Amino acid sequence: WWTSHLLAYVTRPSSDLEAKLRALRLQLNFAPPLMGLHVRHGDACVHAAQSNTRPLCRPLADYIPAVLKLRRTYGLEAVFLSTDDEEVVEDATRWLGRHGMRVLHQPLDRSVFESSWFIEHRMEAGALDAGVITDSMLLDLLLLRECDAFVGTLSSQMSRLALSLMAHRIGVIPPFVSVEDMPWGCCSWAGESLEQKDGEAMRRVSFGYKEQL
């Protein structure tokens, strides 16, 4: 509860970002109810492959059953997709379109994310426009916040931020699925492991990807 309220406070958009957010809503015809879908690839996959604790990146095919289950349960016919992978955008639009679902996504050049060099290091070196990258991330996050259900991977900070902000906006934890065995990341924002502390609690409030799909 406290974390969600704190995050909602610190992520309040500036007037400039709010104007970009309004324009993007109009451009996408962004109109709830919507399902939020976050598929993180890019440099996170490199990090995961080098780590003994982080789960490996999941292909889009792992997310589709969860999306379709939430659609059947809640009647959500549109998805807002947040991803750094253009191939995911193309495949999600095609696969979910076969089920009559509309896929919305931020129009941007995702090729800038295709690198084995961590994105923060590329920005520090001036290889990427930090302002453009930051704005695109924040716009995705703020639109995910406005969704009514969520599918992602809770080892990802972006997915955890989105779910926390959705819970703050709605007032309860929204329907969600994390498509991995780890229910709330490899560690909390405070740094301690949450796997044993509240892993079972998170499994109870989630759809239980492994057990119920």
Side-chain angles (χ1 to χ4, degrees):
W1 180 90
W2 167 245
T3 299
S4 294
H5 280 72
L6 180 60
L7 289 172
Y9 181 80
V10 299
T11 57
R12 293 172 301 162
S14 65
S15 56
D16 178 64
L17 189 61
E18 181 63 47
K20 293 177 181 178
L21 185 61
R22 287 196 300 269
L24 185 56
R25 285 197 200 99
L26 290 173
Q27 182 181 0
L28 299 180
N29 190 21
F30 188 96
L34 287 161
M35 187 188 314
L37 171 60
H38 175 235
V39 181
R40 176 74 194 275
H41 284 169
D43 64 338
C45 299
V46 178
H47 195 180
Q50 296 173 348
S51 170
N52 293 323
T53 59
R54 293 180 181 274
L56 295 174
C57 289
R58 299 295 184 109
L60 176 63
D62 285 2
Y63 296 76
I64 298 299
V67 171
L68 295 179
K69 180 175 178 63
L70 290 180
R71 173 183 181 253
R72 291 192 302 269
T73 304
Y74 296 99
L76 299 169
E77 300 294 338
V79 171
F80 175 70
L81 170 61
S82 168
T83 185
D84 48 14
D85 188 339
E86 187 61 35
E87 186 175 348
V88 167
V89 172
E90 296 169 1
D91 288 345
T93 301
R94 183 173 66 256
W95 293 354
L96 294 177
R98 293 171 183 165
H99 296 273
M101 299 189 73
R102 187 166 61 104
V103 177
L104 312 179
H105 57 87
Q106 190 176 168
L108 56 91
D109 178 11
R110 290 176 174 81
S111 66
V112 299
F113 301 111
E114 297 174 3
S115 175
S116 59
W117 192 11
F118 291 155
I119 194 167
E120 57 268 30
H121 298 160
R122 296 166 67 200
M123 289 192 293
E124 289 170 0
L128 291 177
D129 186 328
V132 170
I133 299 299
T134 302
D135 275 1
S136 68
M137 183 277 291
L138 288 173
L139 288 169
D140 266 3
L141 182 63
L142 292 171
L143 288 180
L144 286 171
R145 176 193 64 179
E146 298 179 21
C147 294
D148 304 280
F150 182 71
V151 177
T153 51
L154 294 184
S155 62
S156 163
Q157 296 281 19
M158 183 74 165
S159 283
R160 291 157 67 183
L161 284 167
L163 183 60
S164 293
L165 291 174
M166 289 171 66
H168 174 267
R169 180 183 64 81
I170 298 171
V172 296
I173 298 174
F176 76 93
V177 176
S178 178
V179 298
E180 58 193 2
D181 294 326
M182 191 173 293
W184 189 252
C186 60
C187 53
S188 77
W189 286 297
E192 74 273 13
S193 171
L194 296 182
E195 185 67 16
Q196 298 300 320
K197 182 179 294 186
D198 62 2
E200 183 57 35
M202 291 303 292
R203 288 189 182 92
R204 286 198 299 269
V205 299
S206 76
F207 258 77
Y209 178 76
K210 296 295 184 183
E211 295 77 16
Q212 297 185 34
L213 288 183

